[in-house]
mmCIF file of all heavy atoms in Angstrom:
data_model
loop_
_atom_site.group_PDB
_atom_site.id
_atom_site.type_symbol
_atom_site.label_atom_id
_atom_site.label_comp_id
_atom_site.label_asym_id
_atom_site.label_seq_id
_atom_site.Cartn_x
_atom_site.Cartn_y
_atom_site.Cartn_z
ATOM 1 N N ARG A 583 -20.329 16.216 -1.941
ATOM 2 C CA ARG A 583 -20.488 17.279 -2.928
ATOM 3 C C ARG A 583 -20.207 16.693 -4.298
ATOM 4 O O ARG A 583 -19.544 15.657 -4.419
ATOM 5 C CB ARG A 583 -19.513 18.438 -2.664
ATOM 6 C CG ARG A 583 -19.785 19.206 -1.371
ATOM 7 C CD ARG A 583 -18.741 20.285 -1.160
ATOM 8 N NE ARG A 583 -18.943 20.996 0.098
ATOM 9 C CZ ARG A 583 -18.063 21.844 0.609
ATOM 10 N NH1 ARG A 583 -16.927 22.087 -0.015
ATOM 11 N NH2 ARG A 583 -18.317 22.451 1.747
ATOM 12 N N SER A 585 -18.464 18.473 -6.578
ATOM 13 C CA SER A 585 -17.073 18.869 -6.717
ATOM 14 C C SER A 585 -16.768 19.904 -5.636
ATOM 15 O O SER A 585 -17.652 20.297 -4.872
ATOM 16 C CB SER A 585 -16.786 19.440 -8.113
ATOM 17 O OG SER A 585 -17.608 20.556 -8.371
ATOM 18 N N LEU A 586 -15.529 20.329 -5.577
ATOM 19 C CA LEU A 586 -15.020 21.091 -4.440
ATOM 20 C C LEU A 586 -15.856 22.321 -4.107
ATOM 21 O O LEU A 586 -16.139 22.586 -2.939
ATOM 22 C CB LEU A 586 -13.565 21.501 -4.712
ATOM 23 C CG LEU A 586 -12.877 22.311 -3.620
ATOM 24 C CD1 LEU A 586 -12.791 21.498 -2.336
ATOM 25 C CD2 LEU A 586 -11.492 22.735 -4.083
ATOM 26 N N HIS A 587 -16.286 23.094 -5.103
ATOM 27 C CA HIS A 587 -16.956 24.367 -4.845
ATOM 28 C C HIS A 587 -18.470 24.290 -4.986
ATOM 29 O O HIS A 587 -19.152 25.310 -4.984
ATOM 30 C CB HIS A 587 -16.390 25.438 -5.788
ATOM 31 C CG HIS A 587 -14.905 25.597 -5.677
ATOM 32 N ND1 HIS A 587 -14.276 26.004 -4.519
ATOM 33 C CD2 HIS A 587 -13.910 25.367 -6.585
ATOM 34 C CE1 HIS A 587 -12.970 26.036 -4.711
ATOM 35 N NE2 HIS A 587 -12.723 25.652 -5.950
ATOM 36 N N GLY A 726 -13.928 10.202 -7.198
ATOM 37 C CA GLY A 726 -13.784 11.656 -7.222
ATOM 38 C C GLY A 726 -12.641 12.146 -6.380
ATOM 39 O O GLY A 726 -11.486 11.799 -6.615
ATOM 40 N N ALA A 727 -12.945 12.963 -5.369
ATOM 41 C CA ALA A 727 -11.917 13.557 -4.523
ATOM 42 C C ALA A 727 -12.401 13.576 -3.081
ATOM 43 O O ALA A 727 -13.587 13.397 -2.806
ATOM 44 C CB ALA A 727 -11.564 14.975 -4.990
ATOM 45 N N VAL A 728 -11.478 13.800 -2.177
ATOM 46 C CA VAL A 728 -11.793 13.860 -0.754
ATOM 47 C C VAL A 728 -11.087 15.052 -0.135
ATOM 48 O O VAL A 728 -9.916 15.312 -0.431
ATOM 49 C CB VAL A 728 -11.371 12.563 -0.028
ATOM 50 C CG1 VAL A 728 -11.320 12.778 1.473
ATOM 51 C CG2 VAL A 728 -12.344 11.441 -0.342
ATOM 52 N N SER A 729 -11.805 15.779 0.694
ATOM 53 C CA SER A 729 -11.178 16.767 1.572
ATOM 54 C C SER A 729 -11.108 16.136 2.952
ATOM 55 O O SER A 729 -12.135 15.918 3.605
ATOM 56 C CB SER A 729 -12.002 18.061 1.613
ATOM 57 O OG SER A 729 -12.020 18.691 0.365
ATOM 58 N N ASP A 730 -9.907 15.809 3.377
ATOM 59 C CA ASP A 730 -9.726 15.216 4.700
ATOM 60 C C ASP A 730 -10.036 16.239 5.780
ATOM 61 O O ASP A 730 -10.056 17.453 5.521
ATOM 62 C CB ASP A 730 -8.283 14.729 4.860
ATOM 63 C CG ASP A 730 -8.054 13.393 4.166
ATOM 64 O OD1 ASP A 730 -9.022 12.644 4.016
ATOM 65 O OD2 ASP A 730 -6.907 13.118 3.777
ATOM 66 N N PRO A 731 -10.286 15.778 7.006
ATOM 67 C CA PRO A 731 -10.583 16.729 8.091
ATOM 68 C C PRO A 731 -9.541 17.840 8.191
ATOM 69 O O PRO A 731 -8.340 17.586 8.251
ATOM 70 C CB PRO A 731 -10.563 15.832 9.338
ATOM 71 C CG PRO A 731 -10.949 14.496 8.831
ATOM 72 C CD PRO A 731 -10.322 14.389 7.469
ATOM 73 N N GLY A 732 -10.036 19.077 8.171
ATOM 74 C CA GLY A 732 -9.157 20.226 8.332
ATOM 75 C C GLY A 732 -8.415 20.653 7.089
ATOM 76 O O GLY A 732 -7.520 21.507 7.168
ATOM 77 N N THR A 733 -8.751 20.117 5.917
ATOM 78 C CA THR A 733 -8.047 20.476 4.687
ATOM 79 C C THR A 733 -9.031 20.890 3.609
ATOM 80 O O THR A 733 -10.183 20.451 3.590
ATOM 81 C CB THR A 733 -7.213 19.300 4.143
ATOM 82 O OG1 THR A 733 -8.096 18.266 3.688
ATOM 83 C CG2 THR A 733 -6.286 18.737 5.201
ATOM 84 N N ARG A 734 -8.598 21.771 2.716
ATOM 85 C CA ARG A 734 -9.329 22.143 1.506
ATOM 86 C C ARG A 734 -10.792 22.465 1.781
ATOM 87 O O ARG A 734 -11.690 22.025 1.089
ATOM 88 C CB ARG A 734 -9.218 21.023 0.468
ATOM 89 C CG ARG A 734 -7.791 20.676 0.074
ATOM 90 C CD ARG A 734 -7.713 19.510 -0.902
ATOM 91 N NE ARG A 734 -8.360 19.870 -2.154
ATOM 92 C CZ ARG A 734 -9.225 19.075 -2.802
ATOM 93 N NH1 ARG A 734 -9.571 17.923 -2.305
ATOM 94 N NH2 ARG A 734 -9.729 19.470 -3.944
ATOM 95 N N GLY A 735 -11.039 23.249 2.814
ATOM 96 C CA GLY A 735 -12.384 23.692 3.110
ATOM 97 C C GLY A 735 -13.167 22.825 4.060
ATOM 98 O O GLY A 735 -14.289 23.189 4.455
ATOM 99 N N ALA A 736 -12.635 21.680 4.456
ATOM 100 C CA ALA A 736 -13.323 20.819 5.416
ATOM 101 C C ALA A 736 -12.980 21.248 6.837
ATOM 102 O O ALA A 736 -11.831 21.596 7.135
ATOM 103 C CB ALA A 736 -12.915 19.359 5.204
ATOM 104 N N ALA A 737 -13.959 21.211 7.719
ATOM 105 C CA ALA A 737 -13.722 21.535 9.130
ATOM 106 C C ALA A 737 -12.867 20.449 9.767
ATOM 107 O O ALA A 737 -12.739 19.344 9.232
ATOM 108 C CB ALA A 737 -15.061 21.644 9.866
ATOM 109 N N GLN A 740 -14.662 17.192 9.986
ATOM 110 C CA GLN A 740 -15.514 16.916 8.832
ATOM 111 C C GLN A 740 -14.709 16.291 7.699
ATOM 112 O O GLN A 740 -13.568 16.675 7.430
ATOM 113 C CB GLN A 740 -16.150 18.223 8.339
ATOM 114 C CG GLN A 740 -17.050 18.079 7.119
ATOM 115 C CD GLN A 740 -17.455 19.437 6.556
ATOM 116 O OE1 GLN A 740 -16.664 20.386 6.549
ATOM 117 N NE2 GLN A 740 -18.695 19.548 6.109
ATOM 118 N N ILE A 742 -15.206 15.483 3.518
ATOM 119 C CA ILE A 742 -16.056 15.807 2.366
ATOM 120 C C ILE A 742 -15.637 14.933 1.192
ATOM 121 O O ILE A 742 -14.472 14.930 0.796
ATOM 122 C CB ILE A 742 -15.944 17.296 1.976
ATOM 123 C CG1 ILE A 742 -16.365 18.194 3.143
ATOM 124 C CG2 ILE A 742 -16.802 17.586 0.745
ATOM 125 C CD1 ILE A 742 -16.158 19.681 2.874
ATOM 126 N N GLU A 744 -16.054 14.539 -2.665
ATOM 127 C CA GLU A 744 -16.470 15.225 -3.893
ATOM 128 C C GLU A 744 -16.588 14.165 -4.989
ATOM 129 O O GLU A 744 -15.619 13.865 -5.679
ATOM 130 C CB GLU A 744 -15.449 16.303 -4.243
ATOM 131 C CG GLU A 744 -15.212 17.299 -3.122
ATOM 132 C CD GLU A 744 -13.758 17.726 -3.005
ATOM 133 O OE1 GLU A 744 -13.087 17.837 -4.039
ATOM 134 O OE2 GLU A 744 -13.300 17.928 -1.869
ATOM 135 N N GLN A 747 -15.692 14.933 -8.943
ATOM 136 C CA GLN A 747 -14.491 15.718 -9.230
ATOM 137 C C GLN A 747 -13.543 14.893 -10.112
ATOM 138 O O GLN A 747 -13.116 13.809 -9.711
ATOM 139 C CB GLN A 747 -13.774 16.080 -7.933
ATOM 140 C CG GLN A 747 -12.484 16.869 -8.113
ATOM 141 C CD GLN A 747 -12.753 18.295 -8.570
ATOM 142 O OE1 GLN A 747 -13.592 18.984 -8.021
ATOM 143 N NE2 GLN A 747 -12.029 18.715 -9.596
ATOM 144 N N PRO A 748 -13.224 15.356 -11.328
ATOM 145 C CA PRO A 748 -12.267 14.604 -12.155
ATOM 146 C C PRO A 748 -10.947 14.417 -11.412
ATOM 147 O O PRO A 748 -10.455 15.328 -10.754
ATOM 148 C CB PRO A 748 -12.090 15.493 -13.395
ATOM 149 C CG PRO A 748 -13.350 16.293 -13.456
ATOM 150 C CD PRO A 748 -13.733 16.551 -12.030
ATOM 151 N N ASN A 774 -5.733 11.961 -7.143
ATOM 152 C CA ASN A 774 -5.781 13.247 -6.444
ATOM 153 C C ASN A 774 -4.400 13.752 -6.063
ATOM 154 O O ASN A 774 -4.266 14.858 -5.543
ATOM 155 C CB ASN A 774 -6.642 13.117 -5.190
ATOM 156 C CG ASN A 774 -8.111 13.107 -5.521
ATOM 157 O OD1 ASN A 774 -8.710 14.146 -5.736
ATOM 158 N ND2 ASN A 774 -8.690 11.921 -5.595
ATOM 159 N N GLN A 776 -1.719 15.543 -6.951
ATOM 160 C CA GLN A 776 -1.419 16.527 -7.996
ATOM 161 C C GLN A 776 -0.517 17.608 -7.411
ATOM 162 O O GLN A 776 -0.848 18.211 -6.390
ATOM 163 C CB GLN A 776 -2.716 17.127 -8.532
ATOM 164 C CG GLN A 776 -3.611 16.092 -9.191
ATOM 165 C CD GLN A 776 -5.056 16.522 -9.264
ATOM 166 O OE1 GLN A 776 -5.374 17.670 -8.990
ATOM 167 N NE2 GLN A 776 -5.928 15.604 -9.623
ATOM 168 N N ARG A 779 -0.544 22.098 -7.301
ATOM 169 C CA ARG A 779 -1.983 22.244 -7.562
ATOM 170 C C ARG A 779 -2.247 23.705 -7.932
ATOM 171 O O ARG A 779 -2.136 24.593 -7.090
ATOM 172 C CB ARG A 779 -2.791 21.839 -6.327
ATOM 173 C CG ARG A 779 -4.275 21.705 -6.594
ATOM 174 C CD ARG A 779 -4.991 21.332 -5.314
ATOM 175 N NE ARG A 779 -4.746 19.959 -4.914
ATOM 176 C CZ ARG A 779 -5.483 18.924 -5.325
ATOM 177 N NH1 ARG A 779 -6.492 19.126 -6.145
ATOM 178 N NH2 ARG A 779 -5.217 17.710 -4.910
ATOM 179 N N GLU A 787 -8.243 26.874 -5.844
ATOM 180 C CA GLU A 787 -7.426 25.822 -6.429
ATOM 181 C C GLU A 787 -8.233 25.037 -7.448
ATOM 182 O O GLU A 787 -9.446 24.897 -7.349
ATOM 183 C CB GLU A 787 -6.894 24.880 -5.352
ATOM 184 C CG GLU A 787 -7.938 24.066 -4.634
ATOM 185 C CD GLU A 787 -7.305 23.118 -3.635
ATOM 186 O OE1 GLU A 787 -6.313 23.495 -2.998
ATOM 187 O OE2 GLU A 787 -7.816 22.001 -3.507
ATOM 188 N N LYS A 788 -7.547 24.549 -8.462
ATOM 189 C CA LYS A 788 -8.187 23.745 -9.496
ATOM 190 C C LYS A 788 -7.326 22.511 -9.744
ATOM 191 O O LYS A 788 -6.146 22.480 -9.376
ATOM 192 C CB LYS A 788 -8.333 24.560 -10.784
ATOM 193 C CG LYS A 788 -7.013 25.060 -11.377
ATOM 194 C CD LYS A 788 -7.252 25.898 -12.617
ATOM 195 C CE LYS A 788 -5.926 26.373 -13.211
ATOM 196 N NZ LYS A 788 -6.141 27.185 -14.430
ATOM 197 N N PRO A 789 -7.907 21.479 -10.313
ATOM 198 C CA PRO A 789 -7.134 20.250 -10.522
ATOM 199 C C PRO A 789 -5.931 20.484 -11.417
ATOM 200 O O PRO A 789 -5.975 21.252 -12.376
ATOM 201 C CB PRO A 789 -8.150 19.315 -11.185
ATOM 202 C CG PRO A 789 -9.482 19.846 -10.769
ATOM 203 C CD PRO A 789 -9.307 21.335 -10.694
ATOM 204 N N VAL A 826 -0.932 14.934 5.781
ATOM 205 C CA VAL A 826 -2.134 14.711 4.989
ATOM 206 C C VAL A 826 -1.733 14.369 3.554
ATOM 207 O O VAL A 826 -0.913 15.033 2.947
ATOM 208 C CB VAL A 826 -3.027 15.967 5.014
ATOM 209 C CG1 VAL A 826 -4.213 15.791 4.102
ATOM 210 C CG2 VAL A 826 -3.480 16.250 6.441
ATOM 211 N N TYR A 827 -2.321 13.295 3.031
ATOM 212 C CA TYR A 827 -1.997 12.846 1.686
ATOM 213 C C TYR A 827 -2.714 13.680 0.625
ATOM 214 O O TYR A 827 -2.124 14.119 -0.344
ATOM 215 C CB TYR A 827 -2.394 11.380 1.527
ATOM 216 C CG TYR A 827 -1.416 10.398 2.121
ATOM 217 C CD1 TYR A 827 -1.849 9.335 2.884
ATOM 218 C CD2 TYR A 827 -0.054 10.539 1.907
ATOM 219 C CE1 TYR A 827 -0.956 8.418 3.405
ATOM 220 C CE2 TYR A 827 0.838 9.646 2.422
ATOM 221 C CZ TYR A 827 0.392 8.573 3.174
ATOM 222 O OH TYR A 827 1.270 7.670 3.684
ATOM 223 N N ILE A 828 -4.013 13.837 0.805
ATOM 224 C CA ILE A 828 -4.791 14.539 -0.217
ATOM 225 C C ILE A 828 -4.941 15.979 0.225
ATOM 226 O O ILE A 828 -5.799 16.298 1.035
ATOM 227 C CB ILE A 828 -6.158 13.866 -0.406
ATOM 228 C CG1 ILE A 828 -5.960 12.372 -0.689
ATOM 229 C CG2 ILE A 828 -6.933 14.502 -1.530
ATOM 230 C CD1 ILE A 828 -7.256 11.615 -0.709
ATOM 231 N N GLU A 829 -4.082 16.848 -0.275
ATOM 232 C CA GLU A 829 -4.063 18.225 0.216
ATOM 233 C C GLU A 829 -4.644 19.169 -0.818
ATOM 234 O O GLU A 829 -4.597 18.893 -1.991
ATOM 235 C CB GLU A 829 -2.631 18.629 0.548
ATOM 236 C CG GLU A 829 -2.040 17.799 1.684
ATOM 237 C CD GLU A 829 -0.757 18.403 2.209
ATOM 238 O OE1 GLU A 829 -0.819 19.453 2.844
ATOM 239 O OE2 GLU A 829 0.298 17.821 1.988
#
Side-chain angles (χ1 to χ4, degrees):
R583 293 177 183 170
S585 59
L586 180 62
H587 304 298
V728 163
S729 295
D730 281 334
T733 68
R734 302 177 64 226
Q740 179 189 37
I742 300 175
E744 304 142 35
Q747 178 71 48
N774 283 279
Q776 297 159 10
R779 191 181 287 272
E787 66 177 37
K788 60 182 181 180
V826 175
Y827 281 135
I828 306 173
E829 296 193 70

